[in-house]
């Protein structure tokens, strides 16, 4: 079974530029998550999708971050414009669904973003 | 709101010694509990999980964890650590209902001395 795929693995941009990350979840997984992991901290949930609908985006800085999950499969996360404090690893995860044992999340390898 | 606390930021143990990593959560009902491991430059790999039933759960790589409701804890243990266990370990919690949000602790970095 293929895992969660993310691209790119690394990205360096200047502040005020824009950047986009892509995630392909495990086939059949209805729930998709984007996490931000700042160096030395645990992952923080940015947004959670159930199919192509947003379940929770309360911690997404909506003035600069946006995410979509077209057709309930792949997802993109965009930052525009980027700030220095956005430097982090962005992790995508997916699970079968919400509730019960379906909540077990599988993670991609992440995209390391450096804003200079 | 639920939260997860990992009191130890860094732990160093000698190879072959036993290990216990602490995790405490704050949530009224019994949550779903997870331990993940993250090696440098890698994503998160699930070590073990607890949903219900037996409070002592076995995971991969020789790890186990015990859920203690009275202490709101889910500590990770391994009887004999290998050098390859050096990594960052994260405890995570999900509320046991449909509104699941996987909340992580701050992590514990494990170093193994030869």
């Amino acid at each position: 079974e293929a895992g969660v795929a993310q691209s790119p693995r690394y990205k360096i941009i200047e502040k005020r530029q824009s950047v986009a990350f892509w995630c392909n979840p495990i086939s059949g997984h209805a729930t998709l998550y984007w996490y931000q992991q700042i160096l030395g901290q645990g992952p923080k949930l940015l947004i959670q999708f159930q199919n192509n609908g947003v379940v929770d985006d309360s911690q997404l800085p909506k003035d600069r971050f946006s995410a979509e999950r077209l057709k309930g499969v792949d997802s993109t996360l965009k930052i525009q414009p980027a700030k220095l404090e956005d430097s982090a690893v962005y992790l995508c995860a997916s699970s079968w669904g919400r509730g019960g044992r379906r909540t077990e999340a599988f993670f991609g390898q992440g995209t390391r973003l450096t804003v200079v | 709101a639920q939260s997860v606390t990992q009191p130890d930021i860094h732990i160093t143990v000698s190879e072959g010694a036993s290990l216990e990593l602490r995790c405490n959560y704050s949530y009224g009902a019994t949550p779903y509990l997870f331990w993940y491991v993250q090696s440098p430059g890698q994503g998160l790999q699930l070590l073990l999980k607890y949903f219900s039933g037996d409070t002592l759960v076995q995971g991969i790589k020789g790890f186990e964890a015990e859920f203690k409701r009275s202490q709101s804890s889910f500590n990770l243990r391994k009887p004999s650590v290998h050098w390859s266990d050096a990594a960052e370990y994260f405890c995570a919690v999900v509320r046991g209902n449909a509104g699941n949000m996987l909340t992580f602790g701050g992590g514990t970095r494990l170093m193994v001395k030869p």
Side-chain angles (χ1 to χ4, degrees), chain B residues 2 19 37-38 42 49 51 57 59 65-66 81 88 108:
Chain B
Q2 63 193 46
L19 170 70
V37 60
Q38 186 177 38
Q42 301 298 312
K49 55 186 181 277
F51 291 117
V57 294
E66 185 172 12
V81 170
E88 185 109 27
T108 298

Side-chain angles (χ1 to χ4, degrees), chain A:
Chain A
E1 177 182 85
V4 177
Q6 289 188 248
S7 67
R9 286 295 311 276
Y10 305 94
K11 190 75 177 178
I12 301 174
I13 63 171
E14 296 182 350
K15 59 184 179 182
R16 291 188 289 274
Q17 284 187 325
S18 63
V19 64
F21 313 127
W22 174 81
C23 174
N24 178 241
I26 292 173
S27 178
H29 280 194
T31 307
L32 185 146
Y33 317 78
W34 281 103
Y35 283 85
Q36 179 193 58
Q37 186 179 19
I38 293 173
L39 187 65
Q41 299 181 19
K44 182 186 82 172
L45 181 70
L46 292 176
I47 189 167
Q48 178 182 343
F49 292 94
Q50 179 71 11
N51 297 309
N52 59 351
V54 175
V55 173
D56 188 329
D57 63 357
S58 57
Q59 298 189 84
L60 187 73
K62 298 181 186 62
D63 58 333
R64 298 183 300 105
F65 286 64
S66 63
E68 60 182 8
R69 190 183 183 196
L70 299 176
K71 301 181 181 178
V73 182
D74 293 3
S75 176
T76 56
L77 176 69
K78 296 179 182 178
I79 307 175
Q80 183 180 15
K83 292 185 176 181
L84 295 176
E85 58 261 36
D86 298 331
S87 294
V89 175
Y90 291 84
L91 295 164
C92 180
S94 68
S95 66
W96 285 106
R98 298 165 60 205
R101 296 174 184 272
R102 295 174 296 169
T103 59
E104 179 180 344
F106 297 83
F107 284 81
Q109 290 194 301
T111 296
R112 181 177 297 278
L113 173 68
T114 303
V115 182
V116 298

Side-chain angles (χ1 to χ4, degrees), chain B residues 62-106:
Chain B
F63 285 93
E64 66 178 26
E66 185 172 12
F67 168 59
K68 293 186 177 180
R69 184 191 306 274
S70 61
Q71 298 176 21
S72 296
S73 69
F74 188 57
N75 294 349
L76 182 72
R77 301 194 294 246
K78 187 169 185 178
S80 178
V81 170
H82 188 262
W83 65 266
S84 60
D85 293 325
E88 185 109 27
Y89 291 81
F90 293 96
C91 181
V93 166
V94 170
R95 287 179 302 175
N97 59 22
N100 66 298
M101 185 176 84
L102 191 61
T103 302
F104 284 85

